Amino acid sequence: PLQSRLADFSTRERPLTLEEIELSQPFSERVLIPFMRRLGAFASRFTPQASLESVQHQLDLAGNPRGLDPTIFWAIRIVATLGLGGFILLVTFLAPRDSFLSIRTGTLKALAFAGGGALVGFILPVMLLRSRITRRQNLIIKAMPDALDLLTVCVEAGLGFDQAMSKVSEKWENDLSLAFERVIQEVRLGKLRRDALRDMADRMEVADMTSFVAAIIQADQLGVSM
């Protein structure tokens, strides 16, 4: 993105103003995401730290979809709660006189419908996140046999374990290869390999991957042949 912006900039006769640069960005980046961040930051002030850490862990398990963080996730829950509850309440007001949802059938019933909608809106993002976690874990389990086969071939061919992980990350474009790529990046930044692998297993919570990482760490610590 930076290179394309610079190329765009170099072909213009006059430099872009700050307003033009801002207006060239998508509406979601200019308005929606900043609004959600402010709303989430406000909500996080009243949210226990343990809850925020739990949400962050769940997002890690889901592979951090769309770069979400706990503040934006809480903002999504708030918007879904208010939006769905308000929508159902509006429908009850606008429903025909003889309709089951008509506000004339009783204010308490309309409020009950709106409260149920708000509850669904509050729970729905969590359910979608859990579904995403389960899907990602299943994809990792399916990708493990091929990845371990390639790791074995590379190590037997004389490559180091880090180089073998690089081959896996280059070979496929899936959640497991991306996880290996992140381990490689963390090791290059100075993190111990066993810590990077352990963190990778924690971000997956897949029993087979946890066992594999434990075996690799044990072999590394005891000096056993990889």
Side-chain angles (χ1 to χ4, degrees):
L2 180 60
Q3 293 298 331
S4 63
R5 276 190 171 186
L6 288 174
D8 228 7
F9 183 81
S10 63
T11 58
R12 291 178 173 267
E13 296 180 359
R14 63 176 181 84
L16 289 172
T17 64
L18 207 55
E19 183 180 0
E20 288 174 336
I21 294 175
E22 184 177 353
L23 291 176
S24 66
Q25 296 177 349
F27 178 77
S28 59
E29 293 184 9
R30 289 188 289 113
V31 179
L32 292 182
I33 294 179
F35 171 75
M36 299 292 277
R37 287 192 182 279
R38 292 192 189 96
L39 182 60
F42 176 77
S44 63
R45 297 178 186 174
F46 308 97
T47 306
Q49 186 64 29
S51 178
L52 294 175
E53 292 175 356
S54 176
V55 171
Q56 182 61 62
H57 181 60
Q58 295 294 314
L59 291 172
D60 289 338
L61 292 177
N64 294 106
R66 300 182 181 275
L68 291 179
D69 56 35
T71 57
I72 294 183
F73 184 75
W74 270 105
I76 291 174
R77 295 187 71 179
I78 294 172
V79 170
T81 301
L82 298 178
L84 194 55
F87 174 75
I88 293 179
L89 188 61
L90 180 63
V91 168
T92 58
F93 272 106
L94 299 179
R97 179 183 296 273
D98 298 330
S99 173
F100 177 71
L101 291 175
S102 175
I103 193 67
R104 298 175 181 84
T105 61
T107 303
L108 291 178
K109 183 181 290 188
L111 292 176
F113 286 144
L119 182 62
V120 171
F122 188 73
I123 297 175
L124 186 60
V126 178
M127 296 176 61
L128 293 175
L129 183 62
R130 289 177 179 172
S131 174
R132 173 111 183 186
I133 291 172
T134 303
R135 191 184 324 123
R136 179 173 181 260
Q137 289 174 335
N138 290 334
L139 291 175
I140 289 173
I141 291 172
K142 292 179 181 179
M144 278 191 66
D146 292 334
L148 296 185
D149 281 343
L150 183 57
L151 282 174
T152 302
V153 170
C154 291
V155 171
E156 288 179 348
L159 294 179
F161 187 72
D162 293 345
Q163 293 173 309
M165 285 194 296
S166 297
K167 293 296 182 182
V168 172
S169 65
E170 294 171 2
K171 180 71 174 177
W172 294 286
E173 188 71 27
N174 53 38
D175 291 297
L176 185 57
S177 64
L178 293 175
F180 278 131
E181 183 179 359
R182 179 170 175 176
V183 170
I184 296 167
Q185 292 175 351
E186 290 178 349
V187 171
R188 288 173 179 170
L189 291 173
K191 198 171 189 178
L192 294 176
R193 185 172 67 185
R194 60 175 177 268
D195 293 337
L197 288 171
R198 193 179 291 115
D199 291 342
M200 179 187 71
D202 292 340
R203 290 191 297 268
M204 294 181 181
E205 288 191 359
V206 175
D208 292 338
M209 181 56 67
T210 302
S211 301
F212 167 72
V213 168
I216 294 298
I217 293 175
Q218 186 178 23
D220 190 24
Q221 290 177 336
L222 299 179
V224 179
S225 173
M226 193 65 73

